[in-house]
Amino acid sequence: MVAADNRPLPNIIPSWGDTLNGKWANVRSYCTPIIRDCVERHGLDIGLVSAIIMQESGGNPNAYNPSGATGLMQVMPDSVIPGRPTISELLDPEFNIQTGCNILSAYIKRHNGSVRDGLWAYGGTDGSYAQYADIVLNVYDIVKSAP
């Protein structure tokens, strides 16, 4: 797998055979109604939001990262970024997706409509997230072609 500029990407995307049979089915059935509402409100692509959920949490609404990122879209809570929702709020799938879509939409607008730059901001801008946008866009391509 390579990034948009032909750099090799690290192998951090899970086995898609297993993912599409398990986690993707979970995201599609469990999250699609919630995602639809959010993407319409924020003008986002449903496949893009699904790809973020697949990459960030694998469809697990209780996902928690040691950095503090919480829920389906791994949103940072108020304990990490003041003014953000609490961890308990972010564990609610609908609230988490709404919050994540709101943040993503704002980042894309802030970056003059560039989805790639908006994803880069969503994933963090330090060196450890330098390839985040390319990884999510590759997951997006896979999600778009999934049954």
Side-chain angles (χ1 to χ4, degrees), residues 104-126:
L104 178 63
S105 176
Y107 283 145
I108 291 171
K109 286 177 186 166
R110 187 178 303 156
H111 288 86
N112 300 314
S114 170
V115 171
R116 187 172 189 275
D117 289 346
L119 284 169
W120 180 71
Y122 186 89
T125 55
D126 66 5

Side-chain angles (χ1 to χ4, degrees):
M1 193 173 322
V2 295
D5 61 1
N6 291 322
R7 289 176 292 117
L9 289 175
N11 188 17
I12 62 172
I13 297 175
S15 162
W16 284 102
D18 295 339
T19 300
L20 289 176
N21 291 331
K23 292 178 182 175
W24 171 239
N26 182 45
V27 169
R28 198 170 57 193
S29 66
Y30 175 67
C31 299
T32 298
I34 301 169
I35 297 170
R36 261 185 224 199
D37 179 55
C38 292
V39 299
E40 288 173 11
R41 195 172 321 140
H42 295 286
L44 297 170
D45 183 285
I46 193 167
L48 180 65
V49 175
S50 298
I52 291 170
I53 291 171
M54 286 296 299
Q55 179 61 31
E56 291 289 346
S57 67
N60 177 2
N62 298 313
Y64 182 80
N65 183 296
S67 70
T70 303
L72 290 165
M73 293 187 72
Q74 290 291 278
V75 177
M76 293 300 240
D78 65 343
S79 58
V80 179
I81 301 175
R84 288 277 180 95
T86 66
I87 290 173
S88 60
E89 289 172 318
L90 292 171
L91 288 172
D92 174 85
E94 186 170 355
F95 187 86
N96 186 282
I97 294 172
Q98 288 173 354
T99 303
C101 286
N102 186 42
I103 293 166
L104 178 63
S105 176
Y107 283 145
I108 291 171
K109 286 177 186 166
R110 187 178 303 156
H111 288 86
N112 300 314
S114 170
V115 171
R116 187 172 189 275
D117 289 346
L119 284 169
W120 180 71
Y122 186 89
T125 55
D126 66 5
S128 63
Y129 288 98
Q131 297 175 331
Y132 177 82
D134 292 328
I135 293 167
V136 170
L137 290 171
N138 280 313
V139 174
Y140 173 61
D141 287 341
I142 293 167
V143 164
K144 284 192 310 188
S145 65

